[in-house]
Amino acid sequence: MREAMIVWGGWPGHDPDLCASMIRGWLKAEGFGVRIETTTEAFLDPALKNLSLIIPIYTMSKIEKPEALALCDAVKSGVGLAGHHGGMCDAFRDNVDYQFMCGGQWVAHPGNIIDYKVDVTRPDDPVMAGIDSFEHRSEQYYMHVDPAIEVLATTTFNAGHAPWVDGVVMPVCGKSVSARGAYSIRRSGIGPMNSMSPKSEP
């Protein structure tokens, strides 16, 4: 059986406990065994490299350097990494090893909760199977993004809240490969109510 580990914690505003519960249900429906942890110390477990998938749901907060390096090593060894919204790409802001592995870091969401469009750019990719472009209401994330990421969906900013980013096309969903570890990043939705739509599933 494929095994996954969800590690949740950090800022409670993104409802990490509820998101972990929902994602656990999705994974179990796909045949995964799922382990739930609530501290970053879980990344020091020597068994980490035996997992198929790790999902961090940990907005902001702190991670110790040995914990971050252990997580990075697991991904380099071939363990998958997936995440959504601030639970992955606004975690551990002061740890560049983690940010380099993820390939993206949140820096702003102009206008806070707004309506915007997500444009699927790679409908042929298995990650995007069954998902068409759609309108969404949430925080429109402005990211610093690794150019090596393969972009699967984007959103376009307008001048309504930050005129200097008018027309900027920003990745919303992407995937990348680190050594033997393939991982995908999904960045749509702010919390469990947004994530309940199939269009926002991680």
Side-chain angles (χ1 to χ4, degrees):
M1 176 185 287
R2 294 174 297 173
E3 297 290 334
M5 182 174 74
I6 299 171
V7 183
W8 70 266
W11 183 62
H14 283 162
D15 300 304
D17 54 339
L18 298 180
C19 290
S21 178
M22 291 172 60
I23 294 171
R24 176 180 180 271
W26 294 335
L27 290 172
K28 289 181 73 68
E30 294 295 326
F32 279 83
V34 183
R35 168 183 167 188
I36 302 285
E37 299 288 347
T38 57
T39 74
T40 55
E41 291 178 1
F43 297 135
L44 293 174
D45 186 342
L48 208 64
K49 293 180 180 180
N50 297 328
L51 296 170
S52 298
L53 179 64
I54 299 168
I55 300 178
I57 310 176
Y58 231 98
T59 303
M60 294 184 280
S61 196
K62 299 281 187 180
I63 188 170
E64 298 297 326
K65 189 173 182 68
E67 297 168 348
L69 292 177
L71 174 59
C72 293
D73 285 345
V75 172
K76 289 177 183 177
S77 77
V79 180
L81 181 75
H84 73 283
H85 201 66
M88 180 167 163
C89 289
D90 187 21
F92 318 130
R93 293 178 182 177
D94 61 351
N95 190 283
V96 293
D97 298 303
Y98 177 85
Q99 292 173 15
F100 183 52
M101 174 188 64
C102 289
Q105 175 62 38
W106 170 88
V107 291
H109 42 68
N112 295 317
I113 305 294
I114 62 173
D115 296 313
Y116 62 92
K117 186 179 180 184
V118 174
D119 295 301
V120 175
T121 58
R122 287 289 309 277
D124 58 318
D125 191 275
V127 173
M128 306 307 295
I131 302 176
D132 299 320
S133 297
F134 59 95
E135 299 293 331
H136 193 53
R137 182 170 179 80
S138 181
E139 296 167 341
Q140 188 180 28
Y141 264 25
Y142 200 93
M143 305 284 297
H144 287 173
V145 180
D146 184 344
I149 284 179
E150 182 179 352
V151 177
L152 306 179
T154 63
T155 187
T156 302
F157 283 77
N158 61 41
H161 302 286
W164 58 93
V165 299
D166 186 28
V168 169
V169 177
M170 181 64 58
V172 170
C173 175
K175 66 180 183 179
S176 184
V177 177
S178 175
R180 295 194 305 274
Y183 62 91
S184 64
I185 301 172
R186 301 292 294 275
R187 298 194 184 111
S188 195
I190 181 174
M193 295 311 295
N194 294 104
S195 300
M196 286 178 72
S197 164
K199 295 175 180 175
S200 299
E201 289 183 9

